[in-house]
Coordinates of all heavy atoms in Angstrom, one line a residue:
M1 N -5.5 -60.6 46.6 CA -6.6 -60.5 45.7 C -6.7 -61.8 44.9 O -5.7 -62.3 44.4 CB -6.4 -59.4 44.7 CG -6.5 -58.0 45.4 SD -8.2 -57.5 45.6 CE -8.5 -56.7 44.1
P2 N -7.9 -62.4 44.8 CA -8.1 -63.6 43.9 C -7.8 -63.3 42.5 O -8.1 -62.2 42.0 CB -9.5 -64.0 44.2 CG -10.2 -62.7 44.6 CD -9.2 -61.9 45.3
K3 N -7.3 -64.3 41.8 CA -7.0 -64.1 40.4 C -7.9 -64.9 39.5 O -8.5 -65.9 39.9 CB -5.5 -64.6 40.1 CG -4.5 -63.7 40.8 CD -3.1 -64.2 40.5 CE -2.1 -63.2 41.2 NZ -0.7 -63.7 40.9
L4 N -8.0 -64.4 38.2 CA -8.7 -65.2 37.2 C -7.9 -65.1 35.9 O -7.2 -64.1 35.7 CB -10.2 -64.8 37.0 CG -10.5 -63.4 36.5 CD1 -11.9 -63.4 35.9 CD2 -10.5 -62.4 37.6
T5 N -8.1 -66.1 35.1 CA -7.5 -66.1 33.8 C -8.6 -66.1 32.7 O -9.5 -66.9 32.8 CB -6.6 -67.4 33.6 OG1 -5.6 -67.3 34.6 CG2 -6.0 -67.4 32.2
V6 N -8.4 -65.3 31.8 CA -9.4 -65.2 30.7 C -8.8 -65.4 29.4 O -7.7 -64.8 29.1 CB -10.1 -63.8 30.7 CG1 -11.1 -63.6 29.6 CG2 -10.8 -63.5 32.1
V7 N -9.4 -66.2 28.5 CA -8.9 -66.4 27.2 C -9.9 -65.7 26.2 O -11.1 -66.0 26.2 CB -8.8 -67.9 26.8 CG1 -8.3 -68.1 25.4 CG2 -7.9 -68.6 27.8
G8 N -9.4 -64.7 25.5 CA -10.2 -64.0 24.6 C -10.5 -64.7 23.3 O -10.0 -65.8 23.1
R9 N -11.2 -64.1 22.4 CA -11.6 -64.7 21.2 C -10.5 -64.9 20.2 O -10.6 -65.7 19.3 CB -12.8 -63.9 20.5 CG -14.0 -63.9 21.3 CD -15.2 -63.5 20.6 NE -16.4 -63.7 21.4 CZ -17.1 -62.6 22.0 NH1 -16.7 -61.4 21.7 NH2 -18.1 -62.9 22.8
T10 N -9.4 -64.2 20.4 CA -8.2 -64.4 19.6 C -7.3 -65.5 20.1 O -6.3 -65.9 19.5 CB -7.4 -63.1 19.5 OG1 -6.9 -62.8 20.8 CG2 -8.2 -62.0 18.9
G11 N -7.7 -66.1 21.3 CA -6.9 -67.1 21.9 C -5.9 -66.6 22.9 O -5.2 -67.4 23.5
T12 N -5.8 -65.3 23.0 CA -4.8 -64.7 24.0 C -5.3 -64.9 25.4 O -6.5 -64.5 25.7 CB -4.6 -63.2 23.7 OG1 -4.2 -63.1 22.3 CG2 -3.6 -62.6 24.6
A13 N -4.5 -65.4 26.3 CA -4.8 -65.6 27.7 C -4.2 -64.5 28.5 O -3.1 -64.0 28.3 CB -4.4 -66.9 28.2
K14 N -5.0 -64.0 29.5 CA -4.5 -63.0 30.4 C -4.9 -63.3 31.8 O -6.1 -63.6 32.1 CB -5.1 -61.6 30.0 CG -4.6 -60.5 30.9 CD -5.2 -59.2 30.4 CE -4.8 -58.0 31.2 NZ -5.4 -56.7 30.8
E15 N -3.9 -63.3 32.7 CA -4.3 -63.5 34.2 C -4.2 -62.2 34.9 O -3.3 -61.4 34.6 CB -3.2 -64.5 34.8 CG -3.6 -64.7 36.3 CD -2.5 -65.6 37.0 OE1 -1.4 -65.0 37.1 OE2 -2.8 -66.7 37.3
F16 N -5.2 -61.9 35.7 CA -5.2 -60.6 36.4 C -5.9 -60.8 37.8 O -6.6 -61.8 38.0 CB -5.9 -59.5 35.6 CG -7.2 -59.9 35.1 CD1 -8.4 -59.6 35.9 CD2 -7.4 -60.4 33.9 CE1 -9.6 -59.9 35.5 CE2 -8.7 -60.7 33.4 CZ -9.8 -60.4 34.2
E17 N -5.7 -59.9 38.7 CA -6.3 -59.9 40.0 C -7.7 -59.4 39.8 O -7.9 -58.3 39.2 CB -5.6 -59.0 41.0 CG -4.2 -59.6 41.4 CD -3.5 -58.8 42.4 OE1 -3.9 -57.7 42.7 OE2 -2.6 -59.4 43.0
G18 N -8.7 -60.1 40.2 CA -10.1 -59.7 40.0 C -10.6 -58.9 41.2 O -9.9 -58.8 42.2
S19 N -11.7 -58.3 41.0 CA -12.4 -57.5 42.0 C -13.6 -58.3 42.6 O -14.6 -58.4 42.0 CB -12.9 -56.2 41.4 OG -11.9 -55.4 40.9
P20 N -13.4 -58.8 43.8 CA -14.5 -59.5 44.4 C -15.7 -58.6 44.6 O -15.6 -57.4 44.9 CB -13.9 -59.9 45.8 CG -12.5 -59.9 45.6 CD -12.2 -58.8 44.6
G21 N -16.9 -59.1 44.4 CA -18.1 -58.3 44.5 C -18.6 -57.8 43.2 O -19.8 -57.5 43.1
A22 N -17.7 -57.7 42.2 CA -18.1 -57.4 40.9 C -18.4 -58.6 40.1 O -17.9 -59.7 40.5 CB -17.0 -56.5 40.2
S23 N -19.2 -58.5 39.1 CA -19.5 -59.7 38.3 C -18.2 -60.1 37.5 O -17.3 -59.3 37.3 CB -20.7 -59.5 37.3 OG -20.3 -58.6 36.3
I24 N -18.3 -61.4 37.0 CA -17.2 -61.8 36.1 C -17.2 -61.0 34.9 O -16.1 -60.6 34.3 CB -17.3 -63.3 35.8 CG1 -17.1 -64.1 37.1 CG2 -16.3 -63.7 34.7 CD1 -17.3 -65.6 37.0
M25 N -18.4 -60.6 34.4 CA -18.4 -59.8 33.2 C -17.7 -58.4 33.4 O -16.9 -58.0 32.6 CB -19.9 -59.5 32.8 CG -20.1 -58.7 31.6 SD -20.1 -56.9 31.9 CE -21.8 -56.6 32.5
E26 N -18.0 -57.8 34.6 CA -17.3 -56.5 34.8 C -15.8 -56.7 35.0 O -15.1 -55.8 34.5 CB -17.9 -55.9 36.1 CG -19.4 -55.5 35.9 CD -20.1 -55.2 37.3 OE1 -19.9 -56.0 38.3 OE2 -20.8 -54.2 37.3
N27 N -15.4 -57.8 35.6 CA -14.0 -58.0 35.8 C -13.3 -58.2 34.4 O -12.2 -57.7 34.2 CB -13.8 -59.3 36.6 CG -13.7 -58.9 38.1 OD1 -12.7 -58.4 38.6 ND2 -14.8 -59.2 38.8
I28 N -14.0 -58.9 33.5 CA -13.4 -59.2 32.2 C -13.3 -57.8 31.4 O -12.3 -57.4 30.8 CB -14.2 -60.2 31.4 CG1 -14.0 -61.6 32.1 CG2 -13.7 -60.3 30.0 CD1 -14.9 -62.7 31.5
R29 N -14.5 -57.2 31.3 CA -14.6 -55.9 30.6 C -13.6 -54.9 31.1 O -13.0 -54.1 30.3 CB -16.0 -55.4 30.7 CG -16.3 -54.2 29.8 CD -17.6 -53.6 30.2 NE -17.6 -53.2 31.6 CZ -18.7 -52.9 32.3 NH1 -19.9 -53.0 31.8 NH2 -18.6 -52.5 33.6
D30 N -13.4 -54.8 32.4 CA -12.6 -53.8 32.9 C -11.1 -54.1 32.9 O -10.2 -53.4 33.4 CB -13.0 -53.5 34.4 CG -14.4 -52.9 34.4 OD1 -14.9 -52.5 33.4 OD2 -15.0 -52.9 35.5
N31 N -10.7 -55.3 32.3 CA -9.3 -55.7 32.3 C -8.9 -55.9 30.8 O -8.0 -56.8 30.6 CB -9.1 -56.9 33.1 CG -9.0 -56.5 34.6 OD1 -7.9 -56.1 35.0 ND2 -10.1 -56.6 35.3
G32 N -9.4 -55.1 29.9 CA -8.9 -55.0 28.6 C -9.5 -56.0 27.5 O -9.0 -56.0 26.4
F33 N -10.6 -56.7 27.9 CA -11.2 -57.5 26.9 C -12.4 -56.8 26.3 O -13.5 -57.0 26.7 CB -11.6 -58.9 27.5 CG -10.5 -59.8 27.8 CD1 -9.9 -59.7 29.1 CD2 -10.0 -60.7 26.9 CE1 -8.8 -60.5 29.3 CE2 -9.0 -61.5 27.2 CZ -8.3 -61.4 28.4
E34 N -12.1 -56.0 25.3 CA -13.1 -55.2 24.6 C -14.1 -56.1 23.8 O -15.2 -55.6 23.4 CB -12.5 -54.1 23.8 CG -11.8 -53.1 24.7 CD -11.0 -52.1 23.9 OE1 -11.1 -52.1 22.6 OE2 -10.3 -51.2 24.5
D35 N -13.7 -57.3 23.5 CA -14.6 -58.2 22.7 C -15.7 -58.8 23.6 O -16.6 -59.4 23.0 CB -13.9 -59.2 21.9 CG -12.8 -59.9 22.7 OD1 -12.5 -59.5 23.9 OD2 -12.2 -60.9 22.2
L36 N -15.7 -58.6 24.9 CA -16.8 -58.9 25.7 C -17.7 -57.6 25.8 O -17.3 -56.7 26.5 CB -16.4 -59.4 27.1 CG -17.6 -59.9 27.9 CD1 -17.3 -61.2 28.6 CD2 -18.1 -58.9 28.9
V37 N -18.8 -57.6 25.1 CA -19.5 -56.4 24.9 C -20.4 -56.0 26.1 O -20.3 -54.9 26.6 CB -20.3 -56.4 23.6 CG1 -21.1 -55.1 23.4 CG2 -19.5 -56.7 22.4
G38 N -21.2 -57.0 26.6 CA -22.1 -56.7 27.7 C -23.1 -55.7 27.4 O -23.3 -54.7 28.1
V39 N -23.7 -55.8 26.3 CA -24.7 -54.8 25.7 C -25.7 -54.4 26.8 O -26.0 -53.2 26.9 CB -25.3 -55.3 24.4 CG1 -26.5 -54.4 24.0 CG2 -24.3 -55.4 23.3
C40 N -26.3 -55.3 27.5 CA -27.4 -55.0 28.4 C -26.9 -54.5 29.7 O -27.7 -54.2 30.6 CB -28.3 -56.1 28.5 SG -27.7 -57.5 29.5
G41 N -25.6 -54.4 29.9 CA -25.1 -53.9 31.2 C -25.2 -54.8 32.4 O -25.2 -54.4 33.5
G42 N -25.5 -56.1 32.1 CA -25.6 -57.1 33.2 C -27.0 -57.5 33.6 O -27.2 -58.0 34.6
N43 N -27.9 -57.2 32.7 CA -29.3 -57.5 33.0 C -29.8 -58.8 32.5 O -31.1 -59.0 32.4 CB -30.2 -56.3 32.5 CG -30.0 -55.1 33.4 OD1 -30.0 -55.2 34.6 ND2 -29.8 -54.0 32.7
C44 N -28.9 -59.7 32.1 CA -29.3 -61.0 31.6 C -30.3 -60.9 30.4 O -31.2 -61.8 30.3 CB -29.9 -61.8 32.7 SG -30.0 -63.6 32.5
S45 N -30.1 -60.0 29.5 CA -31.0 -59.9 28.4 C -30.4 -59.7 27.0 O -31.1 -59.4 26.1 CB -32.0 -58.7 28.7 OG -31.2 -57.5 28.8
C46 N -29.0 -59.9 26.9 CA -28.4 -59.8 25.6 C -27.6 -61.0 25.2 O -27.4 -61.3 24.0 CB -27.5 -58.5 25.6 SG -26.0 -58.6 26.5
G47 N -27.0 -61.7 26.1 CA -26.2 -62.9 25.8 C -24.8 -62.6 25.3 O -24.1 -63.5 25.0
T48 N -24.4 -61.3 25.3 CA -23.1 -61.0 24.8 C -21.9 -61.2 25.8 O -20.8 -60.9 25.4 CB -23.0 -59.5 24.3 OG1 -23.3 -58.6 25.3 CG2 -24.0 -59.3 23.1
C49 N -22.3 -61.7 26.9 CA -21.2 -62.0 27.9 C -21.0 -63.5 28.1 O -20.6 -63.9 29.2 CB -21.5 -61.3 29.3 SG -23.0 -62.0 30.0
H50 N -21.4 -64.2 27.1 CA -21.3 -65.7 27.1 C -19.9 -66.1 27.3 O -19.0 -65.7 26.5 CB -21.9 -66.2 25.8 CG -22.1 -67.7 25.8 ND1 -22.7 -68.3 24.7 CD2 -21.7 -68.7 26.6 CE1 -22.7 -69.6 24.9 NE2 -22.1 -69.9 26.0
I51 N -19.6 -67.0 28.3 CA -18.3 -67.5 28.6 C -18.4 -69.0 28.8 O -19.5 -69.5 29.1 CB -17.6 -66.9 29.8 CG1 -18.5 -67.0 31.1 CG2 -17.3 -65.4 29.6 CD1 -17.8 -66.7 32.4
Y52 N -17.3 -69.6 28.7 CA -17.1 -71.0 29.1 C -16.3 -71.1 30.4 O -15.2 -70.5 30.4 CB -16.5 -71.9 28.0 CG -17.2 -71.8 26.7 CD1 -16.5 -71.5 25.5 CD2 -18.6 -72.1 26.6 CE1 -17.2 -71.4 24.3 CE2 -19.2 -72.1 25.4 CZ -18.6 -71.7 24.2 OH -19.2 -71.7 23.0
V53 N -16.8 -71.8 31.4 CA -16.0 -71.9 32.6 C -15.4 -73.2 32.8 O -16.1 -74.3 32.5 CB -17.0 -71.6 33.8 CG1 -16.3 -71.7 35.1 CG2 -17.7 -70.3 33.7
G54 N -14.1 -73.3 33.1 CA -13.5 -74.5 33.3 C -14.3 -75.5 34.2 O -14.8 -75.0 35.3
E55 N -14.4 -76.7 33.8 CA -15.4 -77.6 34.5 C -15.0 -77.8 35.9 O -15.9 -78.1 36.7 CB -15.4 -79.0 33.7 CG -14.1 -79.7 33.6 CD -14.3 -81.0 32.8 OE1 -15.1 -81.0 31.9 OE2 -13.6 -81.9 33.1
Q56 N -13.7 -77.6 36.3 CA -13.3 -77.8 37.7 C -13.9 -76.8 38.6 O -13.9 -76.9 39.8 CB -11.8 -77.9 37.8 CG -11.1 -76.6 37.6 CD -10.7 -76.4 36.1 OE1 -11.4 -76.8 35.2 NE2 -9.5 -75.8 35.9
F57 N -14.5 -75.7 38.0 CA -15.0 -74.6 38.8 C -16.5 -74.7 38.9 O -17.2 -73.9 39.6 CB -14.6 -73.2 38.3 CG -13.1 -73.0 38.4 CD1 -12.3 -73.2 37.4 CD2 -12.6 -72.6 39.6 CE1 -10.9 -73.0 37.5 CE2 -11.2 -72.4 39.8 CZ -10.4 -72.6 38.7
G58 N -17.1 -75.6 38.1 CA -18.6 -75.6 38.0 C -19.3 -75.7 39.3 O -20.3 -75.0 39.5
D59 N -18.8 -76.5 40.2 CA -19.5 -76.6 41.5 C -19.3 -75.5 42.5 O -19.8 -75.5 43.6 CB -19.1 -78.0 42.2 CG -17.7 -78.1 42.5 OD1 -16.9 -77.2 42.1 OD2 -17.3 -79.1 43.1
R60 N -18.4 -74.5 42.1 CA -18.2 -73.3 42.9 C -19.1 -72.2 42.5 O -19.1 -71.1 43.1 CB -16.8 -72.9 42.9 CG -15.8 -73.9 43.5 CD -14.5 -73.3 43.7 NE -13.4 -74.2 43.2 CZ -12.2 -73.8 43.0 NH1 -11.8 -72.6 43.3 NH2 -11.3 -74.7 42.6
L61 N -19.8 -72.3 41.4 CA -20.6 -71.3 40.8 C -22.0 -71.4 41.3 O -22.5 -72.5 41.7 CB -20.6 -71.3 39.3 CG -19.2 -71.2 38.6 CD1 -19.4 -71.3 37.1 CD2 -18.5 -70.0 39.0
P62 N -22.7 -70.2 41.4 CA -24.1 -70.3 41.8 C -24.9 -71.1 40.7 O -24.4 -71.1 39.5 CB -24.6 -68.8 41.8 CG -23.6 -68.1 41.0 CD -22.3 -68.9 41.1
P63 N -26.0 -71.7 41.0 CA -26.8 -72.4 40.0 C -27.3 -71.4 38.9 O -27.5 -70.2 39.2 CB -27.9 -73.0 40.7 CG -28.0 -72.4 42.1 CD -26.6 -71.7 42.3
I64 N -27.5 -71.9 37.7 CA -28.1 -71.1 36.6 C -29.6 -70.8 36.9 O -30.3 -71.7 37.2 CB -27.9 -71.9 35.3 CG1 -26.5 -72.0 34.9 CG2 -28.7 -71.1 34.2 CD1 -26.2 -72.8 33.7
S65 N -29.9 -69.5 36.8 CA -31.3 -69.2 37.0 C -32.1 -69.5 35.8 O -31.6 -69.7 34.7 CB -31.4 -67.6 37.3 OG -31.1 -66.9 36.2
D66 N -33.4 -69.4 35.9 CA -34.3 -69.7 34.8 C -34.0 -68.6 33.7 O -34.0 -69.0 32.5 CB -35.8 -69.6 35.2 CG -36.2 -70.8 36.0 OD1 -35.4 -71.8 36.1 OD2 -37.2 -70.8 36.6
D67 N -33.8 -67.4 34.1 CA -33.6 -66.3 33.1 C -32.3 -66.6 32.3 O -32.2 -66.4 31.1 CB -33.5 -65.0 33.7 CG -34.9 -64.5 34.1 OD1 -35.9 -65.0 33.7 OD2 -34.9 -63.5 34.9
E68 N -31.2 -67.0 33.1 CA -29.9 -67.2 32.4 C -30.0 -68.4 31.5 O -29.5 -68.4 30.4 CB -28.8 -67.4 33.5 CG -27.4 -67.7 32.9 CD -26.4 -67.9 34.0 OE1 -26.7 -67.9 35.2 OE2 -25.2 -68.1 33.6
D69 N -30.7 -69.5 32.0 CA -30.9 -70.7 31.2 C -31.6 -70.4 29.9 O -31.2 -70.8 28.8 CB -31.6 -71.7 32.0 CG -31.7 -73.1 31.3 OD1 -30.6 -73.6 30.9 OD2 -32.8 -73.6 31.2
C70 N -32.6 -69.5 30.0 CA -33.4 -69.2 28.8 C -32.6 -68.4 27.8 O -32.6 -68.6 26.6 CB -34.6 -68.3 29.3 SG -35.7 -67.9 27.9
M71 N -31.8 -67.5 28.3 CA -30.9 -66.7 27.4 C -29.9 -67.6 26.8 O -29.6 -67.5 25.6 CB -30.2 -65.6 28.2 CG -29.4 -64.6 27.4 SD -30.3 -63.8 26.0 CE -31.6 -63.0 26.9
L72 N -29.2 -68.5 27.5 CA -28.2 -69.4 26.9 C -28.9 -70.3 25.9 O -28.2 -70.7 25.0 CB -27.5 -70.1 28.1 CG -26.5 -69.3 28.9 CD1 -26.1 -70.1 30.1 CD2 -25.3 -69.0 28.0
A73 N -30.1 -70.7 26.1 CA -30.8 -71.6 25.2 C -30.9 -71.1 23.8 O -31.0 -71.8 22.8 CB -32.2 -72.0 25.8
S74 N -30.8 -69.7 23.7 CA -30.9 -69.1 22.4 C -29.5 -69.1 21.6 O -29.5 -68.6 20.5 CB -31.5 -67.7 22.5 OG -30.5 -66.9 23.1
S75 N -28.5 -69.5 22.3 CA -27.2 -69.5 21.7 C -26.8 -70.8 21.0 O -27.0 -71.9 21.5 CB -26.1 -69.2 22.7 OG -24.8 -69.4 22.2
E76 N -26.3 -70.7 19.8 CA -25.9 -71.9 19.0 C -24.6 -72.4 19.6 O -24.1 -73.5 19.2 CB -25.8 -71.6 17.5 CG -24.7 -70.5 17.2 CD -24.7 -70.3 15.7 OE1 -24.4 -71.2 14.9 OE2 -25.0 -69.1 15.3
Y77 N -23.9 -71.6 20.4 CA -22.6 -72.0 20.9 C -22.7 -72.5 22.4 O -21.7 -72.7 23.0 CB -21.6 -70.8 20.9 CG -21.4 -70.3 19.5 CD1 -21.8 -69.1 19.1 CD2 -20.7 -71.1 18.5 CE1 -21.6 -68.6 17.8 CE2 -20.5 -70.7 17.2 CZ -21.0 -69.4 16.9 OH -20.8 -69.0 15.6
R78 N -23.9 -72.8 22.9 CA -24.0 -73.3 24.2 C -23.4 -74.6 24.4 O -23.5 -75.5 23.6 CB -25.5 -73.3 24.7 CG -25.6 -73.7 26.1 CD -27.0 -73.7 26.6 NE -27.1 -73.8 28.1 CZ -28.2 -73.7 28.8 NH1 -29.4 -73.6 28.2 NH2 -28.2 -73.8 30.1
T79 N -22.6 -74.8 25.5 CA -22.1 -76.1 25.9 C -22.4 -76.3 27.4 O -22.9 -75.4 28.1 CB -20.5 -76.1 25.7 OG1 -19.9 -75.4 26.8 CG2 -20.1 -75.5 24.4
P80 N -22.1 -77.4 28.0 CA -22.3 -77.6 29.4 C -21.5 -76.7 30.3 O -21.8 -76.5 31.4 CB -21.9 -79.1 29.6 CG -22.1 -79.8 28.3 CD -21.7 -78.7 27.3
E81 N -20.4 -76.0 29.7 CA -19.6 -75.1 30.4 C -20.1 -73.7 30.3 O -19.4 -72.8 30.8 CB -18.1 -75.2 30.0 CG -17.5 -76.6 30.2 CD -16.1 -76.7 29.8 OE1 -15.7 -76.0 28.8 OE2 -15.3 -77.5 30.4
S82 N -21.2 -73.4 29.6 CA -21.6 -72.1 29.3 C -22.2 -71.4 30.6 O -22.9 -72.0 31.3 CB -22.7 -72.1 28.2 OG -22.2 -72.4 27.0
R83 N -21.9 -70.2 30.7 CA -22.5 -69.3 31.7 C -22.5 -67.9 31.1 O -21.8 -67.6 30.1 CB -21.7 -69.2 33.0 CG -21.6 -70.5 33.8 CD -23.0 -71.0 34.2 NE -23.8 -70.0 35.0 CZ -23.9 -70.1 36.4 NH1 -23.3 -71.1 37.0 NH2 -24.7 -69.3 37.0
L84 N -23.4 -67.0 31.7 CA -23.4 -65.6 31.4 C -22.6 -64.9 32.4 O -22.9 -65.0 33.6 CB -24.8 -65.0 31.3 CG -25.7 -65.6 30.2 CD1 -27.1 -64.9 30.3 CD2 -25.1 -65.3 28.8
A85 N -21.5 -64.3 32.0 CA -20.5 -63.7 33.0 C -21.1 -62.6 33.9 O -20.7 -62.4 35.0 CB -19.3 -63.1 32.2
C86 N -22.2 -62.0 33.4 CA -22.9 -61.0 34.2 C -23.7 -61.6 35.4 O -24.1 -60.8 36.3 CB -23.7 -60.1 33.4 SG -25.2 -60.8 32.7
Q87 N -23.9 -62.9 35.3 CA -24.8 -63.5 36.3 C -24.0 -64.2 37.4 O -24.6 -64.9 38.3 CB -25.7 -64.5 35.7 CG -26.7 -63.8 34.7 CD -27.5 -62.7 35.3 OE1 -28.3 -63.0 36.3 NE2 -27.3 -61.4 34.9
V88 N -22.7 -64.1 37.4 CA -21.8 -64.7 38.4 C -20.9 -63.7 39.0 O -20.1 -63.0 38.4 CB -20.9 -65.8 37.7 CG1 -20.1 -66.5 38.8 CG2 -21.8 -66.9 37.0
E89 N -21.1 -63.6 40.3 CA -20.3 -62.6 41.1 C -18.9 -63.2 41.3 O -18.8 -64.4 41.8 CB -20.9 -62.3 42.4 CG -20.2 -61.3 43.2 CD -20.9 -60.9 44.5 OE1 -22.1 -60.5 44.4 OE2 -20.4 -61.1 45.6
F90 N -17.9 -62.5 41.1 CA -16.5 -63.0 41.4 C -16.3 -62.8 42.9 O -16.7 -61.9 43.5 CB -15.5 -62.2 40.6 CG -14.1 -62.7 40.7 CD1 -13.8 -64.0 40.2 CD2 -13.1 -62.1 41.3 CE1 -12.6 -64.6 40.3 CE2 -11.8 -62.6 41.4 CZ -11.5 -63.9 40.9
S91 N -15.6 -63.8 43.4 CA -15.3 -63.8 44.9 C -14.0 -64.6 45.1 O -13.5 -65.3 44.2 CB -16.4 -64.5 45.6 OG -16.5 -65.9 45.3
A92 N -13.5 -64.5 46.4 CA -12.3 -65.2 46.7 C -12.4 -66.7 46.5 O -11.4 -67.3 46.2 CB -12.0 -64.9 48.2
K93 N -13.6 -67.3 46.7 CA -13.7 -68.7 46.5 C -13.5 -69.1 45.0 O -13.4 -70.3 44.7 CB -15.0 -69.3 47.0 CG -16.2 -69.0 46.2 CD -17.4 -69.6 46.8 CE -18.7 -69.4 45.9 NZ -19.9 -70.1 46.5
L94 N -13.5 -68.1 44.1 CA -13.2 -68.4 42.7 C -11.8 -68.1 42.3 O -11.5 -68.0 41.1 CB -14.2 -67.6 41.8 CG -15.7 -68.0 42.0 CD1 -16.6 -67.1 41.1 CD2 -15.9 -69.5 41.6
D95 N -10.9 -68.0 43.3 CA -9.5 -67.7 43.0 C -9.0 -68.7 42.0 O -9.2 -69.9 42.3 CB -8.7 -67.7 44.3 CG -7.3 -67.3 44.1 OD1 -7.0 -66.5 43.2 OD2 -6.4 -67.8 44.8
G96 N -8.3 -68.3 41.0 CA -7.8 -69.2 40.0 C -8.8 -69.6 38.9 O -8.4 -70.4 38.0
L97 N -9.9 -68.9 38.9 CA -10.9 -69.2 37.9 C -10.4 -69.0 36.5 O -9.6 -68.1 36.2 CB -12.1 -68.2 38.0 CG -13.3 -68.4 37.1 CD1 -14.0 -69.7 37.5 CD2 -14.2 -67.2 37.2
Y98 N -10.8 -70.0 35.6 CA -10.3 -70.0 34.2 C -11.5 -69.9 33.3 O -12.4 -70.8 33.4 CB -9.5 -71.2 33.9 CG -9.0 -71.4 32.6 CD1 -7.7 -70.9 32.2 CD2 -9.7 -72.1 31.6 CE1 -7.3 -71.1 30.9 CE2 -9.3 -72.3 30.3 CZ -8.0 -71.8 30.0 OH -7.6 -71.9 28.7
V99 N -11.6 -68.9 32.5 CA -12.8 -68.8 31.6 C -12.3 -68.5 30.1 O -11.3 -67.9 29.9 CB -13.8 -67.8 32.0 CG1 -14.3 -68.0 33.5 CG2 -13.3 -66.4 31.9
R100 N -13.2 -68.9 29.2 CA -12.9 -68.5 27.8 C -14.2 -67.7 27.3 O -15.3 -68.1 27.6 CB -12.7 -69.7 26.9 CG -11.5 -70.5 27.1 CD -11.3 -71.7 26.2 NE -12.4 -72.7 26.4 CZ -13.2 -73.1 25.5 NH1 -13.2 -72.6 24.3 NH2 -14.1 -74.0 25.8
L101 N -14.0 -66.7 26.4 CA -15.1 -66.1 25.8 C -15.7 -67.0 24.7 O -14.9 -67.5 23.9 CB -14.7 -64.7 25.2 CG -14.0 -63.7 26.2 CD1 -13.9 -62.4 25.4 CD2 -14.7 -63.6 27.5
A102 N -17.0 -67.1 24.7 CA -17.6 -67.9 23.7 C -17.6 -67.1 22.4 O -17.4 -65.9 22.4 CB -19.1 -68.1 24.1
P103 N -17.7 -67.8 21.2 CA -17.7 -67.1 20.0 C -18.8 -66.0 19.9 O -19.9 -66.2 20.5 CB -17.9 -68.2 18.9 CG -17.5 -69.4 19.6 CD -17.8 -69.2 21.1
E104 N -18.6 -65.0 19.1 CA -19.6 -64.0 18.9 C -20.8 -64.6 18.1 O -20.6 -65.3 17.1 CB -19.0 -62.8 18.2 CG -19.9 -61.6 18.2 CD -19.2 -60.3 17.8 OE1 -18.0 -60.5 17.3 OE2 -19.7 -59.3 17.9
E105 N -22.0 -64.3 18.5 CA -23.2 -64.8 17.8 C -23.3 -64.2 16.4 O -23.0 -63.0 16.3 CB -24.5 -64.6 18.6 CG -24.5 -65.3 19.9 CD -24.8 -66.8 19.8 OE1 -25.3 -67.3 18.8 OE2 -24.5 -67.5 20.8
Ligands
FES1 S1 -24.3 -58.5 29.8 FE1 -26.1 -58.9 28.8 S2 -26.6 -60.9 29.4 FE2 -24.8 -60.5 30.4

């Protein structure tokens, strides 16, 4: 099983085996990170699943859609590493993925 490491808002890092086919948001939420809210359930309409993805993984991720880009544009914490975790499916090619939760808006 591919693994991912998540750093929560308190700075605590946790590595766990992810579920391919589920979104990164679902993987994070289902592995004890209650501070990733995911209010809209993965419909790209709340921005509460904002994460920062290690730059070495950027070229393995799908491109940002117009909807995701629009939602991220409303965040004061957007950086070049920003993604919405609900818009990226976890897969074996992302084994070793490292992400941090963005600050709460
Ligand atoms: S869960 Fe709402 S935008 Fe990702």
